[in-house]
Amino acid sequence: MDKIRPLWRHYFNGTQCVIYVIDLHDRERLHESKLEFEKVQKDPEMKDVPFVFLCNKSDLPNKLTIREIYEEFEIEKMEQSWCFQTCCAISKKGIYEPFIWIERNFKKK
């Protein structure tokens, strides 16, 4: 994965929304995830692009809280629109709501 990440910027042109998936059960890599997020967010191509934080594994015990994610990712400093959604990919709980938010809030340019 580390070899692919530097190539992400080649896909930013024309991006209308970013869905950023966070593993709520992986405390050890949360800071690494934040650093990757910052690289994406700070790219000039992403200036006005909204972000959806899809927080997966919400069904597991000892998971990170939304507050912990909010603080680690310093959401209050974001200039872009954003949305948080906890989810469980296995049960599909919470998977569809972010797409409704995107549809309601952002029309295709």
Side-chain angles (χ1 to χ4, degrees), residues 2-20:
D2 292 335
K3 294 178 183 178
I4 296 172
R5 287 180 183 160
L7 301 175
W8 286 354
R9 63 184 173 77
H10 296 291
Y11 297 97
F12 292 168
N13 186 24
T15 298
Q16 295 180 3
C17 184
V18 171
I19 298 175
Y20 197 86

Side-chain angles (χ1 to χ4, degrees), residues 11-46:
Y11 297 97
F12 292 168
N13 186 24
T15 298
Q16 295 180 3
C17 184
V18 171
I19 298 175
Y20 197 86
V21 180
I22 298 172
D23 183 341
L24 292 178
H25 205 254
D26 193 353
R27 291 180 182 275
E28 292 77 34
R29 292 182 43 198
L30 181 62
H31 187 70
E32 177 185 345
S33 180
K34 179 213 178 178
L35 296 176
E36 290 303 319
F37 160 74
E38 286 178 337
K39 289 177 192 174
V40 173
Q41 182 208 19
K42 291 179 180 178
D43 189 283
E45 291 281 340
M46 306 305 275

Side-chain angles (χ1 to χ4, degrees), residues 59-79:
D59 59 321
L60 297 177
N62 303 317
K63 63 188 174 285
L64 290 157
T65 65
I66 292 299
R67 171 60 52 201
E68 289 172 299
I69 301 295
Y70 188 89
E71 290 173 359
E72 177 70 27
F73 281 69
E74 300 177 294
I75 298 304
E76 71 280 355
K77 295 181 182 178
M78 280 186 71
E79 294 180 16

